[in-house]
């Protein structure tokens, strides 16, 4: 588990989050940026937006278990909001889970 990322996401969840620099070291910030940049279809302007996406993926941990209509609607929304190809979602989600839970 990547405790830095989990602590940050839990802080966002509880409303105690202030800034990613209080939770993540430089290597983790670089890892997060590298992870998302491989999926981004355009620049989404910095780590804050990537962290917003990570939080959405974190709180919707059952995203891949939802009925198809809900899943498709949510993936479409996330892809449009965070500028990645819908067809890449499962790879993005799988790599996110590995980065957070299997590090």
């Amino acid at each position: 588990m990547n405790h830095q990322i989990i602590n940050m996401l839990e802080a966002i969840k509880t409303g105690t989050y202030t800034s990613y620099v209080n939770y993540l070291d430089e290597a983790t910030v670089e890892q997060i940026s590298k992870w998302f940049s491989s999926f981004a279809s355009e620049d989404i302007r910095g780590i804050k937006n990537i962290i917003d996406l990570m939080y959405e993926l974190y709180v919707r941990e059952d995203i891949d278990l939802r009925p198809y209509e809900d899943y498709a609607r949510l993936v479409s929304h996330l892809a449009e909001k965070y500028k990645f190809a819908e067809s890449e979602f499962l790879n993005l989600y799988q790599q996110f889970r590995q980065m957070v839970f299997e590090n």
Side-chain angles (χ1 to χ4, degrees), residues 11-95:
I12 295 170
K13 191 175 183 181
T14 61
T16 59
Y17 173 81
T18 51
S19 173
Y20 72 91
V21 297
N22 296 328
Y23 301 93
L24 307 177
D25 60 26
E26 286 184 37
T28 304
V29 171
E30 188 173 322
Q31 178 188 19
I32 290 168
S33 295
K34 192 177 206 179
W35 159 72
F36 186 73
S37 68
S38 67
F39 296 102
S41 58
E42 58 186 75
D43 182 22
I44 68 163
R45 295 200 185 112
I47 191 76
K48 186 201 176 309
N49 288 323
I50 299 169
I51 290 171
D52 290 345
L53 169 60
M54 292 174 67
Y55 179 71
E56 291 203 49
L57 297 175
Y58 183 72
V59 297
R60 293 182 170 115
E61 62 186 86
D62 67 341
I63 195 168
D64 54 339
L65 301 175
R66 292 178 181 216
Y68 178 76
E69 295 79 19
D70 292 343
Y71 169 84
R73 187 174 24 256
L74 184 54
V75 168
S76 179
H77 165 74
L78 293 173
E80 182 178 327
K81 184 175 181 180
Y82 296 104
K83 311 295 185 213
F84 62 85
E86 286 182 43
S87 61
E88 289 292 322
F89 177 76
L90 284 178
N91 289 329
L92 178 142
Y93 186 62
Q94 180 182 35
Q95 288 182 23

Side-chain angles (χ1 to χ4, degrees), residues 1-10 20 23-29:
M1 295 183 114
N2 188 316
H3 295 287
Q4 290 180 46
I5 294 174
I6 291 172
N7 289 339
M8 179 189 66
L9 295 171
E10 283 295 321
Y20 72 91
Y23 301 93
L24 307 177
D25 60 26
E26 286 184 37
T28 304
V29 171

